[in-house]
Amino acid sequence: MVSTELIRTTVGIIGNIISFGLFASPIPTFIKICKDKSVGEFKADPYVATVVNCMLWTFYGMPFVHPDSLLVITINGTGFVMESIYVSIFFIYSPWPKRKKIIIAILAELVFMAVVIFCTLHFYSDTKHRSMIVGSICIIFNIIMYAAPLTVMHSVIKTKSVKYMPFFLSLANFCNGIIWLIYSLLKFDINILIPNALGSVSGLVQLILYATYYKTTVWEDEPKSSEIELESART
């Protein structure tokens, strides 16, 4: 009989693959930025936010915080590197006012992480309490990051158009949430379960909206004032 641990590892590997695809999804955006040598109207906010999110989940997965979470470390460590590259490119091709905001945000994130790491390791000696504290912070950050998809979904309902809510990205978000939800249930982990349950619901709602407003969408290219970016929270 196949062990639960083997199934969990397999599910985690699948989750890593899907999450990697989500982390890689902005690559065309940054190719465009490099070609244009300008960030245009793109915003660094989602990428800067994802950097700290990945740092938190990587710390959460450490053996001295939450044992047996190697696959959480691998994908979020990878995500941290990729998002850091995105932020670096954004910084290079941004005017000084935007660069200043990025510097302040990154410094604030580093100070925040230093405080979280120090307090967790200094005041708590067992993994149970460390997991609870760091996991709770991760959940809060994930919930905050769902503001971006909510903004896009509101826009879809308002305009009755799914033109700027890519189907495959929405599908990937849904699958990512489901896979990590299963992962969290195989060896119960409430801190991974909660954000991915929310992510699954968010992805499902996006797919329902896509099916609802697909026929009313005008697909011809038209000038737009800003780029709508669908950035999801990933475990």
Side-chain angles (χ1 to χ4, degrees):
M1 182 178 291
V2 180
S3 67
T4 302
E5 189 60 35
L6 179 59
I7 296 173
R8 181 172 179 265
T9 300
T10 303
V11 170
I13 291 172
I14 295 171
N16 269 238
I17 294 170
I18 296 175
S19 295
F20 179 80
L22 288 171
F23 282 127
S25 62
I27 288 177
T29 295
F30 285 92
I31 290 175
K32 175 177 172 56
I33 288 174
C34 290
K35 285 182 177 179
D36 295 344
K37 299 186 184 304
S38 170
V39 297
E41 295 184 21
F42 290 106
K43 296 182 179 180
D45 301 12
Y47 310 107
V48 173
T50 307
V51 166
V52 71
N53 191 57
C54 288
M55 285 194 289
L56 281 168
W57 280 110
T58 300
F59 181 55
Y60 175 81
M62 292 294 175
F64 47 82
V65 176
H66 192 79
D68 302 321
S69 301
L70 177 61
L71 291 171
V72 174
I73 297 175
T74 55
I75 188 56
N76 285 286
T78 302
F80 169 74
V81 172
M82 295 176 72
E83 297 294 331
S84 297
I85 292 172
Y86 296 154
V87 172
S88 298
I89 293 173
F90 205 99
F91 182 84
I92 291 170
Y93 293 109
S94 291
W96 171 244
K98 287 187 177 182
R99 287 184 178 183
K100 185 178 179 180
K101 289 181 180 179
I102 293 172
I103 292 172
I104 293 172
I106 293 298
L107 288 176
E109 289 180 354
L110 291 175
V111 170
F112 173 75
M113 279 303 303
V115 171
V116 170
I117 292 171
F118 174 77
C119 291
T120 301
L121 300 182
H122 183 73
F123 294 110
Y124 302 96
S125 58
D126 60 290
T127 56
K128 179 180 178 181
H129 287 93
R130 288 175 177 177
S131 295
M132 181 182 69
I133 296 300
V134 180
S136 298
I137 296 172
C138 288
I139 291 172
I140 292 170
F141 267 78
N142 272 63
I143 291 174
I144 292 173
M145 290 185 70
Y146 281 122
L150 286 175
T151 301
V152 176
M153 287 187 276
H154 177 265
S155 176
V156 169
I157 295 172
K158 186 176 180 180
T159 62
K160 300 187 187 304
S161 171
V162 294
K163 185 174 182 179
Y164 301 119
M165 188 176 73
F167 171 76
F168 287 108
L169 187 54
S170 298
L171 180 62
N173 279 322
F174 174 68
C175 292
N176 188 63
I178 290 293
I179 285 293
W180 286 107
L181 179 61
I182 295 171
Y183 178 88
S184 69
L185 291 171
L186 288 170
K187 186 175 181 180
F188 191 72
D189 188 337
I190 189 68
N191 297 313
I192 293 180
L193 185 147
I194 291 176
N196 285 288
L198 292 173
S200 300
V201 172
S202 174
L204 179 60
V205 171
Q206 290 172 38
L207 293 175
I208 292 173
L209 288 176
Y210 198 94
T212 302
Y213 294 111
Y214 179 81
K215 290 185 177 179
T216 60
T217 300
V218 178
W219 296 101
E220 288 77 10
D221 290 335
E222 56 188 33
K224 57 181 184 295
S225 59
S226 64
E227 181 75 15
I228 299 176
E229 297 172 4
L230 183 59
E231 188 71 16
S232 68
R234 311 168 186 90
T235 298

